[in-house]
Amino acid sequence: MEYITSVKNEKIKEIKKLANAKGRRQQQRYLIEGEHLVHEALINDIVIEELLVTENFLNHDEHHLVKQLYDQCVQIGDSVAKHLSATVTPQGIFAVVALPPTDPNIDYQGKWLLLDRIQDPGNVGTMIRTADAAGYQGVILSKDSADLFAPKVQRSMQGSQFHLQLLTADLQKIITSFKQNHVTVYGTLVNEQARDYHQVQAPKNLALIMGNEAQGMNNNLAQLADKNLYIPLIGQAESLNVAIAAGILMFNL
Amino acid sequence: MEYITSVKNEKIKEIKKLANAKGRRQQQRYLIEGEHLVHEALINDIVIEELLVTENFLNHDEHHLVKQLYDQCVQIGDSVAKHLSATVTPQGIFAVVALPPTDPNIDYQGKWLLLDRIQDPGNVGTMIRTADAAGYQGVILSKDSADLFAPKVQRSMQGSQFHLQLLTADLQKIITSFKQNHVTVYGTLVNEQARDYHQVQAPKNLALIMGNEAQGMNNNLAQLADKNLYIPLIGQAESLNVAIAAGILMFNL
């Protein structure tokens, strides 16, 4: 097994570039970190291009990940692990996997979450995890949302990228396609003129749009939606965090 | 008006200590930042001990905060603002306010959220904001939770500390008091042996306990609770983020 101890190694330099969106786009792959995520990738039949592990991990490999992926495996020194890690105390296991196809076949069935310019990576990741837990088919992000495979998004989505379809697309076009395919599209507004979500009887096939943290959903999208919903608030808070609002709606529609 | 340009000024050194829990505990006060929060404090009759503003803020003081608080106001240089700020681009307004009483009178009415060892400041803050939006009376944190007035908690709670009662206490004692006062106590478990939350008819007075991100709620608390609830998941995600789970429960109970 190859053993890399220098952060200046060419392979490590290429992998390090996956920490930002440009590197991921150019190489069409991304880095996952930690035993749980690598295990999740494996059981979901995701192709693992490279597996990087420290000596310490090799000695505590409870799921025998290295054995299963021996041909892709490279041992790295602790300083290399620190260099690649998005956490303070790396577990000592990383894998490089391909980005999902940018234009997957949408079957226009089931429930979909659409994110319009969500900026906070934690919000994006948490909403994807919640959509997964609520049995959604997939999540579609507008082009100016937080980047799907940024380390902070990954930390919040906790492996849900292996469970549902994720893509970045033009939301106006997507919404039009959903409507042509008889999928009901719900926008969300922080506005009592919208419809109280308690009053809708949600169909089996639907798309739910959540909007930017500060500005809410784009007006064009509100006009395209079949209905716009709001969550009535009882207390003094002016609004809910967008991921909380999405959670309430996904578990009630 | 006093004008401070050095971060070594004694007043600034004392205020800077409010960035950590020890400083806040010793001085029994905390720092709030940004126009929205200072305005919220004012309209909620919170006593403002010090108001610190930059020249730039003085020129854009839309709510006339400086006029209202002239006696407490000190002008600071931009480098002092940067030094005190928890953000990259400070708005140039800070206020020092007293910590709320550690042992407020609980009236054992309405709905309460109890947080057992929640570690992530964003989760604590978001749950407080959600409790506010759901019309809860207050939030009670166990002693080993994230510190209530840490900058990251404040950023997520968005001023909700001025709308509901917040305290840190021994949850076992608090739960016993709630039960003695005929408040129904619901624990939460990630466990299908607990009761599906759809099956409970929530009373007017209740306390809802949310547990640690990784370990869930302490077993002792689960035994004390009147009932333990869970949220059935449909998809493949193993669990929900604790703040999302709290949001779903608070808006459905």
PDB file of all heavy atoms in Angstrom, chain B residues 109-137:
ATOM      1  N   GLN B 109     -47.158  27.569  33.864  1.00  0.00           N
ATOM      2  CA  GLN B 109     -48.300  27.723  32.969  1.00  0.00           C
ATOM      3  C   GLN B 109     -47.759  27.682  31.554  1.00  0.00           C
ATOM      4  O   GLN B 109     -46.598  28.026  31.321  1.00  0.00           O
ATOM      5  CB  GLN B 109     -48.949  29.101  33.165  1.00  0.00           C
ATOM      6  CG  GLN B 109     -49.640  29.301  34.489  1.00  0.00           C
ATOM      7  CD  GLN B 109     -51.021  28.688  34.516  1.00  0.00           C
ATOM      8  OE1 GLN B 109     -51.738  28.731  33.524  1.00  0.00           O
ATOM      9  NE2 GLN B 109     -51.386  28.107  35.644  1.00  0.00           N
ATOM     10  N   GLY B 110     -48.578  27.317  30.624  1.00  0.00           N
ATOM     11  CA  GLY B 110     -48.176  27.377  29.219  1.00  0.00           C
ATOM     12  C   GLY B 110     -47.196  26.275  28.860  1.00  0.00           C
ATOM     13  O   GLY B 110     -47.141  25.225  29.500  1.00  0.00           O
ATOM     14  N   LYS B 111     -46.406  26.533  27.841  1.00  0.00           N
ATOM     15  CA  LYS B 111     -45.536  25.507  27.281  1.00  0.00           C
ATOM     16  C   LYS B 111     -44.075  25.884  27.489  1.00  0.00           C
ATOM     17  O   LYS B 111     -43.678  27.037  27.344  1.00  0.00           O
ATOM     18  CB  LYS B 111     -45.842  25.332  25.786  1.00  0.00           C
ATOM     19  CG  LYS B 111     -47.271  24.809  25.545  1.00  0.00           C
ATOM     20  CD  LYS B 111     -47.517  24.512  24.075  1.00  0.00           C
ATOM     21  CE  LYS B 111     -48.720  23.624  23.859  1.00  0.00           C
ATOM     22  NZ  LYS B 111     -50.011  24.268  24.022  1.00  0.00           N
ATOM     23  N   TRP B 112     -43.282  24.875  27.833  1.00  0.00           N
ATOM     24  CA  TRP B 112     -41.866  25.070  28.125  1.00  0.00           C
ATOM     25  C   TRP B 112     -41.028  24.079  27.324  1.00  0.00           C
ATOM     26  O   TRP B 112     -41.419  22.929  27.142  1.00  0.00           O
ATOM     27  CB  TRP B 112     -41.611  24.857  29.621  1.00  0.00           C
ATOM     28  CG  TRP B 112     -42.196  25.942  30.464  1.00  0.00           C
ATOM     29  CD1 TRP B 112     -43.499  26.068  30.847  1.00  0.00           C
ATOM     30  CD2 TRP B 112     -41.507  27.069  30.990  1.00  0.00           C
ATOM     31  NE1 TRP B 112     -43.671  27.214  31.591  1.00  0.00           N
ATOM     32  CE2 TRP B 112     -42.455  27.842  31.701  1.00  0.00           C
ATOM     33  CE3 TRP B 112     -40.183  27.511  30.946  1.00  0.00           C
ATOM     34  CZ2 TRP B 112     -42.113  29.032  32.349  1.00  0.00           C
ATOM     35  CZ3 TRP B 112     -39.839  28.687  31.605  1.00  0.00           C
ATOM     36  CH2 TRP B 112     -40.810  29.437  32.300  1.00  0.00           C
ATOM     37  N   LEU B 113     -39.863  24.543  26.897  1.00  0.00           N
ATOM     38  CA  LEU B 113     -38.913  23.662  26.217  1.00  0.00           C
ATOM     39  C   LEU B 113     -37.725  23.427  27.152  1.00  0.00           C
ATOM     40  O   LEU B 113     -37.167  24.384  27.700  1.00  0.00           O
ATOM     41  CB  LEU B 113     -38.435  24.318  24.918  1.00  0.00           C
ATOM     42  CG  LEU B 113     -37.409  23.538  24.083  1.00  0.00           C
ATOM     43  CD1 LEU B 113     -38.001  22.239  23.537  1.00  0.00           C
ATOM     44  CD2 LEU B 113     -36.880  24.405  22.939  1.00  0.00           C
ATOM     45  N   LEU B 114     -37.357  22.157  27.343  1.00  0.00           N
ATOM     46  CA  LEU B 114     -36.234  21.813  28.220  1.00  0.00           C
ATOM     47  C   LEU B 114     -35.124  21.191  27.376  1.00  0.00           C
ATOM     48  O   LEU B 114     -35.372  20.237  26.635  1.00  0.00           O
ATOM     49  CB  LEU B 114     -36.690  20.790  29.283  1.00  0.00           C
ATOM     50  CG  LEU B 114     -37.390  21.319  30.548  1.00  0.00           C
ATOM     51  CD1 LEU B 114     -38.437  22.354  30.269  1.00  0.00           C
ATOM     52  CD2 LEU B 114     -37.960  20.166  31.353  1.00  0.00           C
ATOM     53  N   LEU B 115     -33.906  21.730  27.471  1.00  0.00           N
ATOM     54  CA  LEU B 115     -32.804  21.250  26.633  1.00  0.00           C
ATOM     55  C   LEU B 115     -31.777  20.505  27.480  1.00  0.00           C
ATOM     56  O   LEU B 115     -31.133  21.097  28.357  1.00  0.00           O
ATOM     57  CB  LEU B 115     -32.154  22.428  25.905  1.00  0.00           C
ATOM     58  CG  LEU B 115     -33.080  23.275  25.024  1.00  0.00           C
ATOM     59  CD1 LEU B 115     -32.274  24.348  24.294  1.00  0.00           C
ATOM     60  CD2 LEU B 115     -33.851  22.417  24.032  1.00  0.00           C
ATOM     61  N   ASP B 116     -31.632  19.226  27.184  1.00  0.00           N
ATOM     62  CA  ASP B 116     -30.709  18.381  27.947  1.00  0.00           C
ATOM     63  C   ASP B 116     -29.374  18.259  27.215  1.00  0.00           C
ATOM     64  O   ASP B 116     -29.273  17.527  26.235  1.00  0.00           O
ATOM     65  CB  ASP B 116     -31.343  16.994  28.127  1.00  0.00           C
ATOM     66  CG  ASP B 116     -30.416  16.036  28.853  1.00  0.00           C
ATOM     67  OD1 ASP B 116     -29.614  16.497  29.691  1.00  0.00           O
ATOM     68  OD2 ASP B 116     -30.497  14.817  28.585  1.00  0.00           O
ATOM     69  N   ARG B 117     -28.372  18.976  27.662  1.00  0.00           N
ATOM     70  CA  ARG B 117     -26.997  18.882  27.151  1.00  0.00           C
ATOM     71  C   ARG B 117     -26.897  19.103  25.633  1.00  0.00           C
ATOM     72  O   ARG B 117     -26.179  18.370  24.949  1.00  0.00           O
ATOM     73  CB  ARG B 117     -26.385  17.506  27.503  1.00  0.00           C
ATOM     74  CG  ARG B 117     -26.188  17.283  29.013  1.00  0.00           C
ATOM     75  CD  ARG B 117     -25.922  15.827  29.299  1.00  0.00           C
ATOM     76  NE  ARG B 117     -27.033  15.038  28.853  1.00  0.00           N
ATOM     77  CZ  ARG B 117     -26.946  13.921  28.155  1.00  0.00           C
ATOM     78  NH1 ARG B 117     -25.772  13.423  27.842  1.00  0.00           N
ATOM     79  NH2 ARG B 117     -28.032  13.279  27.782  1.00  0.00           N
ATOM     80  N   ILE B 118     -27.593  20.088  25.111  1.00  0.00           N
ATOM     81  CA  ILE B 118     -27.433  20.438  23.699  1.00  0.00           C
ATOM     82  C   ILE B 118     -26.099  21.179  23.562  1.00  0.00           C
ATOM     83  O   ILE B 118     -25.853  22.162  24.260  1.00  0.00           O
ATOM     84  CB  ILE B 118     -28.604  21.327  23.209  1.00  0.00           C
ATOM     85  CG1 ILE B 118     -29.949  20.660  23.485  1.00  0.00           C
ATOM     86  CG2 ILE B 118     -28.430  21.664  21.725  1.00  0.00           C
ATOM     87  CD1 ILE B 118     -30.244  19.428  22.694  1.00  0.00           C
ATOM     88  N   GLN B 119     -25.246  20.681  22.675  1.00  0.00           N
ATOM     89  CA  GLN B 119     -23.870  21.186  22.595  1.00  0.00           C
ATOM     90  C   GLN B 119     -23.693  22.276  21.543  1.00  0.00           C
ATOM     91  O   GLN B 119     -22.871  23.154  21.697  1.00  0.00           O
ATOM     92  CB  GLN B 119     -22.910  20.029  22.262  1.00  0.00           C
ATOM     93  CG  GLN B 119     -22.867  18.976  23.344  1.00  0.00           C
ATOM     94  CD  GLN B 119     -22.492  19.562  24.699  1.00  0.00           C
ATOM     95  OE1 GLN B 119     -21.443  20.134  24.865  1.00  0.00           O
ATOM     96  NE2 GLN B 119     -23.388  19.456  25.685  1.00  0.00           N
ATOM     97  N   ASP B 120     -24.417  22.182  20.448  1.00  0.00           N
ATOM     98  CA  ASP B 120     -24.172  23.099  19.342  1.00  0.00           C
ATOM     99  C   ASP B 120     -24.877  24.439  19.590  1.00  0.00           C
ATOM    100  O   ASP B 120     -26.101  24.482  19.759  1.00  0.00           O
ATOM    101  CB  ASP B 120     -24.685  22.465  18.036  1.00  0.00           C
ATOM    102  CG  ASP B 120     -24.430  23.350  16.839  1.00  0.00           C
ATOM    103  OD1 ASP B 120     -23.314  23.302  16.315  1.00  0.00           O
ATOM    104  OD2 ASP B 120     -25.339  24.115  16.450  1.00  0.00           O
ATOM    105  N   PRO B 121     -24.127  25.538  19.616  1.00  0.00           N
ATOM    106  CA  PRO B 121     -24.735  26.847  19.900  1.00  0.00           C
ATOM    107  C   PRO B 121     -25.835  27.204  18.890  1.00  0.00           C
ATOM    108  O   PRO B 121     -26.856  27.783  19.270  1.00  0.00           O
ATOM    109  CB  PRO B 121     -23.571  27.829  19.771  1.00  0.00           C
ATOM    110  CG  PRO B 121     -22.323  27.023  19.781  1.00  0.00           C
ATOM    111  CD  PRO B 121     -22.671  25.644  19.345  1.00  0.00           C
ATOM    112  N   GLY B 122     -25.640  26.837  17.622  1.00  0.00           N
ATOM    113  CA  GLY B 122     -26.655  27.107  16.605  1.00  0.00           C
ATOM    114  C   GLY B 122     -27.949  26.373  16.912  1.00  0.00           C
ATOM    115  O   GLY B 122     -29.048  26.916  16.766  1.00  0.00           O
ATOM    116  N   ASN B 123     -27.845  25.128  17.362  1.00  0.00           N
ATOM    117  CA  ASN B 123     -29.041  24.374  17.736  1.00  0.00           C
ATOM    118  C   ASN B 123     -29.763  25.017  18.916  1.00  0.00           C
ATOM    119  O   ASN B 123     -30.987  25.159  18.902  1.00  0.00           O
ATOM    120  CB  ASN B 123     -28.679  22.927  18.095  1.00  0.00           C
ATOM    121  CG  ASN B 123     -28.410  22.070  16.867  1.00  0.00           C
ATOM    122  OD1 ASN B 123     -28.839  22.391  15.769  1.00  0.00           O
ATOM    123  ND2 ASN B 123     -27.700  20.967  17.052  1.00  0.00           N
ATOM    124  N   VAL B 124     -29.007  25.413  19.944  1.00  0.00           N
ATOM    125  CA  VAL B 124     -29.626  26.045  21.120  1.00  0.00           C
ATOM    126  C   VAL B 124     -30.360  27.319  20.698  1.00  0.00           C
ATOM    127  O   VAL B 124     -31.534  27.518  21.012  1.00  0.00           O
ATOM    128  CB  VAL B 124     -28.574  26.362  22.212  1.00  0.00           C
ATOM    129  CG1 VAL B 124     -29.170  27.264  23.297  1.00  0.00           C
ATOM    130  CG2 VAL B 124     -28.046  25.075  22.827  1.00  0.00           C
ATOM    131  N   GLY B 125     -29.665  28.167  19.936  1.00  0.00           N
ATOM    132  CA  GLY B 125     -30.265  29.436  19.523  1.00  0.00           C
ATOM    133  C   GLY B 125     -31.491  29.238  18.648  1.00  0.00           C
ATOM    134  O   GLY B 125     -32.521  29.897  18.827  1.00  0.00           O
ATOM    135  N   THR B 126     -31.392  28.313  17.691  1.00  0.00           N
ATOM    136  CA  THR B 126     -32.520  28.065  16.788  1.00  0.00           C
ATOM    137  C   THR B 126     -33.725  27.524  17.555  1.00  0.00           C
ATOM    138  O   THR B 126     -34.867  27.903  17.277  1.00  0.00           O
ATOM    139  CB  THR B 126     -32.097  27.074  15.679  1.00  0.00           C
ATOM    140  OG1 THR B 126     -30.984  27.635  14.976  1.00  0.00           O
ATOM    141  CG2 THR B 126     -33.229  26.818  14.697  1.00  0.00           C
ATOM    142  N   MET B 127     -33.474  26.662  18.540  1.00  0.00           N
ATOM    143  CA  MET B 127     -34.609  26.114  19.300  1.00  0.00           C
ATOM    144  C   MET B 127     -35.275  27.191  20.138  1.00  0.00           C
ATOM    145  O   MET B 127     -36.504  27.189  20.304  1.00  0.00           O
ATOM    146  CB  MET B 127     -34.152  24.930  20.145  1.00  0.00           C
ATOM    147  CG  MET B 127     -33.921  23.691  19.281  1.00  0.00           C
ATOM    148  SD  MET B 127     -33.751  22.169  20.235  1.00  0.00           S
ATOM    149  CE  MET B 127     -31.998  22.186  20.512  1.00  0.00           C
ATOM    150  N   ILE B 128     -34.493  28.129  20.662  1.00  0.00           N
ATOM    151  CA  ILE B 128     -35.078  29.235  21.434  1.00  0.00           C
ATOM    152  C   ILE B 128     -35.931  30.113  20.509  1.00  0.00           C
ATOM    153  O   ILE B 128     -37.057  30.478  20.842  1.00  0.00           O
ATOM    154  CB  ILE B 128     -33.968  30.058  22.135  1.00  0.00           C
ATOM    155  CG1 ILE B 128     -33.316  29.203  23.233  1.00  0.00           C
ATOM    156  CG2 ILE B 128     -34.534  31.358  22.721  1.00  0.00           C
ATOM    157  CD1 ILE B 128     -32.060  29.802  23.839  1.00  0.00           C
ATOM    158  N   ARG B 129     -35.391  30.416  19.325  1.00  0.00           N
ATOM    159  CA  ARG B 129     -36.151  31.212  18.348  1.00  0.00           C
ATOM    160  C   ARG B 129     -37.448  30.501  17.958  1.00  0.00           C
ATOM    161  O   ARG B 129     -38.509  31.116  17.859  1.00  0.00           O
ATOM    162  CB  ARG B 129     -35.268  31.439  17.109  1.00  0.00           C
ATOM    163  CG  ARG B 129     -35.933  32.195  15.971  1.00  0.00           C
ATOM    164  CD  ARG B 129     -34.942  32.351  14.814  1.00  0.00           C
ATOM    165  NE  ARG B 129     -35.529  32.928  13.624  1.00  0.00           N
ATOM    166  CZ  ARG B 129     -34.933  32.935  12.426  1.00  0.00           C
ATOM    167  NH1 ARG B 129     -33.727  32.400  12.296  1.00  0.00           N
ATOM    168  NH2 ARG B 129     -35.531  33.470  11.386  1.00  0.00           N
ATOM    169  N   THR B 130     -37.379  29.185  17.770  1.00  0.00           N
ATOM    170  CA  THR B 130     -38.571  28.422  17.383  1.00  0.00           C
ATOM    171  C   THR B 130     -39.583  28.390  18.527  1.00  0.00           C
ATOM    172  O   THR B 130     -40.793  28.512  18.305  1.00  0.00           O
ATOM    173  CB  THR B 130     -38.178  26.993  16.968  1.00  0.00           C
ATOM    174  OG1 THR B 130     -37.114  27.054  16.016  1.00  0.00           O
ATOM    175  CG2 THR B 130     -39.350  26.250  16.357  1.00  0.00           C
ATOM    176  N   ALA B 131     -39.086  28.228  19.764  1.00  0.00           N
ATOM    177  CA  ALA B 131     -39.980  28.223  20.934  1.00  0.00           C
ATOM    178  C   ALA B 131     -40.708  29.564  21.025  1.00  0.00           C
ATOM    179  O   ALA B 131     -41.909  29.624  21.323  1.00  0.00           O
ATOM    180  CB  ALA B 131     -39.177  27.958  22.203  1.00  0.00           C
ATOM    181  N   ASP B 132     -39.986  30.637  20.764  1.00  0.00           N
ATOM    182  CA  ASP B 132     -40.582  31.978  20.749  1.00  0.00           C
ATOM    183  C   ASP B 132     -41.703  32.033  19.696  1.00  0.00           C
ATOM    184  O   ASP B 132     -42.839  32.430  19.986  1.00  0.00           O
ATOM    185  CB  ASP B 132     -39.462  32.980  20.443  1.00  0.00           C
ATOM    186  CG  ASP B 132     -39.922  34.432  20.399  1.00  0.00           C
ATOM    187  OD1 ASP B 132     -41.069  34.711  20.803  1.00  0.00           O
ATOM    188  OD2 ASP B 132     -39.134  35.289  19.955  1.00  0.00           O
ATOM    189  N   ALA B 133     -41.387  31.584  18.481  1.00  0.00           N
ATOM    190  CA  ALA B 133     -42.376  31.620  17.387  1.00  0.00           C
ATOM    191  C   ALA B 133     -43.581  30.737  17.668  1.00  0.00           C
ATOM    192  O   ALA B 133     -44.672  30.979  17.163  1.00  0.00           O
ATOM    193  CB  ALA B 133     -41.717  31.194  16.075  1.00  0.00           C
ATOM    194  N   ALA B 134     -43.390  29.698  18.479  1.00  0.00           N
ATOM    195  CA  ALA B 134     -44.484  28.775  18.796  1.00  0.00           C
ATOM    196  C   ALA B 134     -45.251  29.228  20.039  1.00  0.00           C
ATOM    197  O   ALA B 134     -46.132  28.516  20.520  1.00  0.00           O
ATOM    198  CB  ALA B 134     -43.937  27.360  18.979  1.00  0.00           C
ATOM    199  N   GLY B 135     -44.898  30.366  20.578  1.00  0.00           N
ATOM    200  CA  GLY B 135     -45.623  30.907  21.725  1.00  0.00           C
ATOM    201  C   GLY B 135     -45.295  30.240  23.051  1.00  0.00           C
ATOM    202  O   GLY B 135     -46.110  30.234  23.980  1.00  0.00           O
ATOM    203  N   TYR B 136     -44.086  29.687  23.157  1.00  0.00           N
ATOM    204  CA  TYR B 136     -43.685  29.058  24.424  1.00  0.00           C
ATOM    205  C   TYR B 136     -43.383  30.110  25.492  1.00  0.00           C
ATOM    206  O   TYR B 136     -43.035  31.250  25.181  1.00  0.00           O
ATOM    207  CB  TYR B 136     -42.464  28.145  24.191  1.00  0.00           C
ATOM    208  CG  TYR B 136     -42.848  26.732  23.787  1.00  0.00           C
ATOM    209  CD1 TYR B 136     -43.784  26.503  22.778  1.00  0.00           C
ATOM    210  CD2 TYR B 136     -42.299  25.627  24.437  1.00  0.00           C
ATOM    211  CE1 TYR B 136     -44.151  25.218  22.423  1.00  0.00           C
ATOM    212  CE2 TYR B 136     -42.662  24.326  24.078  1.00  0.00           C
ATOM    213  CZ  TYR B 136     -43.587  24.137  23.078  1.00  0.00           C
ATOM    214  OH  TYR B 136     -43.946  22.856  22.736  1.00  0.00           O
ATOM    215  N   GLN B 137     -43.534  29.710  26.759  1.00  0.00           N
ATOM    216  CA  GLN B 137     -43.250  30.600  27.884  1.00  0.00           C
ATOM    217  C   GLN B 137     -41.757  30.776  28.105  1.00  0.00           C
ATOM    218  O   GLN B 137     -41.301  31.835  28.530  1.00  0.00           O
ATOM    219  CB  GLN B 137     -43.836  30.015  29.188  1.00  0.00           C
ATOM    220  CG  GLN B 137     -45.320  29.922  29.203  1.00  0.00           C
ATOM    221  CD  GLN B 137     -45.959  31.274  28.995  1.00  0.00           C
ATOM    222  OE1 GLN B 137     -45.663  32.223  29.704  1.00  0.00           O
ATOM    223  NE2 GLN B 137     -46.815  31.368  27.989  1.00  0.00           N
TER     224      GLN B 137
END
